[in-house]
Amino acid sequence: MTRRPGIHSSVLTAALGLLVCAPTLAQAGGYAVYTHGASALGQGNAVVANGDDPSVIFFNPALLSQLPGTQVQAGTTLIFSSGDFRSDLTGRSSDKDSDLFLPSTFYFSHRFNDKVSAGLGVFSPFGLGNDWGKEWEGRFIATNSELKSFNVNPVLSLQVNPKLALAGGLNFIYLDSTLERQLRATALGIPIPGLEVGQKFSGDGTGIGFNLGMLLDLTDDLALGVSYRSEIKVDITGDVSFATPEGFPVPLPGMPGKTDLTLPQQAFAGLYYKGFDPLTFEVGLLWEGWSSFEELRIELPDGSSTVTPRDWNNSLVYNLGVRYRLNPTVTLLAGYLYGETPVPDHTFDPSIPDSDTHLFSLGTDLNFNRCKVAFSYAYQRFESRTKNNLIGASPVAESTDLANGTYKSDLHMVALGLTYRF
C-alpha cells in the first residue's frame, strides 16, 4: 500500500530523504568521492590508462599487469570544506561550519607471473559531510549530514597478449549515515509556535557489485584504458530519534524505517600518451549513471510507503593529467577536472548544494628504491547556484523555511600516499 504521508511518516520520509541527497566530499557530482590516491589526485584523476602504484585497483584494475612484484600502499587525504548561503528573502548570509575529513585508502597488489596479477583495495567511494548549524534559515531542511562508505574490492588481472590486459573484481560496500535537522513543534501536532525539536536519523546497510577493466596499447606511445563499476543496491535500515527542549509537553518516541539506495554505475576512459617522454599526459572522461535515482521510496512501520521524487540526471566529468619526470627520483604532477552536477534545479536543496565544479591540482612522486612517497594539493571550486523551488514547503512552513537563495562552496585537499615494493 502506498499512501500520502501523515505527521510521523512525513518526519521519517524527510529524515531518510537526507540520506541520498547530501553533499559530496570531493571532485564529482552527487555524493561520489574520488580521493583514492595522492599521485592520482595530483593528476586530476586522469589515471585510467597509466599508473605505477596499486591505487589502479580503483581507477582501472587492468593496470595491475604493469606493476612488478608485490606492492602495498596506504594513504589519506585531508579535506577542508567551506560554504556560504545568501538568502533571497532576507539578504542575510550564513556560513556552513568548516569541516575536516580524512578519507583513507589501503591497496595491495601481487604479480604471480607474466600473465596473472591480483590485488585488494579498501577505500571510500561515496561520502558526505555537511554542517550548517541549528540557527540558519534552512535548518528545517538540513542541519548536519554525514555519510560514510567502506568498500572492499578484490580484483584479478590477466595479460591476454603483449598489447591487451583485462581485469575484473567484486565490491563489498558498507554505508553508515547520521543525518539531522530541526522540526517545528506544530509539524508534530503540538500547537506551540516557535518551539523546535531536533530530529536525528541513524542507519546503515550493505551491498555487492562488480568492476571491470581493460588496457590496450594502441601504439608504442599511445594506450587506451577503460573501466566500469556497476551500480550497487544498498538496503538501509535505521531509526529516527528526537531531541526535545526542556519542558516539552509530551515524549516523542523514536521510530524505525527502511529504504534502499542504488549507488550509480560509473564508466571511465582515458588516453595516455608518452611520446614526449619525460613529459607524459592523459585525457580522461567519466560517465556516472545518476538517472537511476528517480525517486526515494520509504517503507514505513505500518507497511505503507511514501515516495519523494529526485529526478537526477546522468553526468560527465572531463579531466587532464600531466607527469614530468624531472630525474629518477622526482616526478612532477599537475591536473585539471571539470564535472557536471547531476542535481536538477527543481530538486536542488541545501543538503546537497552541488553544482558544476572545477578542480586544479599539483603534486609530486618521490621514488626511493623500494619506496614511493606521493604528495599532492588540490583546490576545488563549485560554481555558485541558486535555489528557487518549493523544497522545504509544508503545511506549517514559513516563507524562510524554503532557504531559497545563492549557495557557494569550495574544498582544499592535501593528499599523502606511501607505497612500498617488496
Side-chain angles (χ1 to χ4, degrees):
M1 177 178 67
T2 300
R3 65 177 174 85
R4 295 181 64 184
I7 291 177
H8 287 295
S9 61
S10 293
V11 170
L12 182 58
T13 298
L16 293 175
L18 288 174
L19 179 63
V20 283
C21 56
T24 177
L25 287 178
Q27 287 191 241
Y31 44 88
V33 177
Y34 295 111
T35 51
H36 298 303
S39 183
L41 182 61
Q43 299 171 75
N45 281 342
V47 291
V48 180
N50 86 97
D52 63 354
D53 65 50
S55 67
V56 300
I57 290 170
F58 175 83
F59 296 99
N60 184 0
L63 287 162
L64 283 175
S65 62
Q66 298 188 347
L67 302 185
T70 300
Q71 302 190 24
V72 176
Q73 182 188 94
T76 192
T77 305
L78 185 153
I79 303 176
F80 178 81
S81 70
S82 61
D84 65 80
F85 160 73
R86 183 175 181 85
S87 171
D88 282 348
L89 186 66
T90 67
R92 296 176 182 172
S93 295
S94 300
D95 292 329
K96 184 172 73 73
D97 289 349
S98 297
D99 296 312
L100 184 65
F101 308 96
L102 285 168
S104 300
T105 58
F106 172 82
Y107 300 101
F108 169 85
S109 70
H110 178 71
R111 188 175 184 179
F112 294 98
N113 52 51
D114 291 343
K115 294 289 187 180
V116 181
S117 300
L120 177 70
V122 181
F123 45 83
S124 299
F126 300 93
L128 69 92
N130 192 27
D131 188 357
W132 288 98
K134 297 181 180 180
E135 306 297 328
W136 84 292
E137 186 174 305
R139 62 190 179 276
F140 302 109
I141 302 176
T143 55
N144 181 53
S145 308
E146 184 175 353
L147 175 67
K148 298 177 181 178
S149 69
F150 304 93
N151 193 112
V152 179
N153 183 194
V155 296
L156 185 68
S157 177
L158 176 65
Q159 187 73 45
V160 178
N161 58 50
K163 292 186 176 295
L164 176 65
L166 301 175
L170 295 175
N171 289 274
F172 304 93
I173 195 165
Y174 169 77
L175 291 181
D176 179 77
S177 62
T178 301
L179 308 153
E180 301 175 55
R181 71 167 191 159
Q182 293 295 104
L183 291 173
R184 296 187 186 278
T186 50
L188 301 172
I190 301 170
I192 305 178
L195 189 62
E196 298 180 10
V197 175
Q199 173 190 275
K200 180 178 180 179
F201 169 76
S202 298
D204 57 24
T206 59
I208 301 176
F210 66 91
N211 63 309
L212 303 171
M214 181 194 77
L215 179 66
L216 177 64
D217 289 331
L218 300 174
T219 70
D220 290 342
D221 294 326
L222 185 65
L224 169 67
V226 178
S227 66
Y228 173 80
R229 289 188 166 273
S230 72
E231 66 180 26
I232 301 176
K233 182 181 178 182
V234 181
D235 294 319
I236 298 168
T237 58
D239 295 284
V240 178
S241 59
F242 302 94
T244 57
E246 185 177 353
F248 198 77
V250 294
L252 292 176
M255 64 182 78
K258 62 180 181 179
T259 186
D260 60 72
L261 171 62
T262 299
L263 304 175
Q265 56 183 327
Q266 301 168 307
F268 303 76
L271 274 174
Y272 172 63
Y273 186 71
K274 58 182 179 180
F276 301 134
D277 189 64
L279 175 69
T280 63
F281 65 90
E282 179 173 325
V283 293
L285 179 69
L286 164 62
W287 175 87
E288 294 186 298
W290 293 106
S291 62
S292 60
F293 189 22
E294 296 179 355
E295 65 181 23
L296 173 67
R297 181 177 295 272
I298 307 297
E299 302 296 330
L300 302 173
D302 61 3
S304 63
S305 64
T306 65
V307 177
T308 303
R310 300 312 302 172
D311 299 329
W312 282 21
N313 304 312
N314 296 332
S315 63
L316 290 171
V317 176
Y318 310 87
N319 54 354
L320 169 67
V322 179
R323 296 172 59 92
Y324 182 75
R325 191 176 68 255
L326 191 63
N327 56 51
T329 300
V330 180
T331 299
L332 304 180
L333 315 171
Y336 169 74
L337 177 150
Y338 171 76
E340 301 173 345
T341 178
V343 183
D345 290 341
H346 67 281
T347 61
F348 173 84
D349 69 42
S351 60
I352 180 165
D354 190 52
S355 65
D356 293 347
T357 185
H358 304 265
L359 180 140
F360 308 87
S361 63
L362 294 171
T364 185
D365 287 346
L366 304 175
N367 285 281
F368 305 101
N369 195 11
R370 293 182 176 273
C371 182
K372 184 182 88 167
V373 178
F375 174 82
S376 63
Y377 165 78
Y379 170 72
Q380 182 174 5
R381 182 180 68 83
F382 293 87
E383 296 181 3
S384 61
R385 188 165 185 185
T386 299
K387 178 182 182 295
N388 185 20
N389 57 40
L390 296 178
I391 301 295
S394 72
V396 299
E398 298 182 4
S399 57
T400 56
D401 292 359
L402 299 178
N404 284 342
T406 302
Y407 293 80
K408 298 179 181 179
S409 59
D410 59 15
L411 297 169
H412 295 272
M413 289 163 274
V414 178
L416 178 65
L418 176 64
T419 303
Y420 188 80
R421 311 177 185 97
F422 292 92

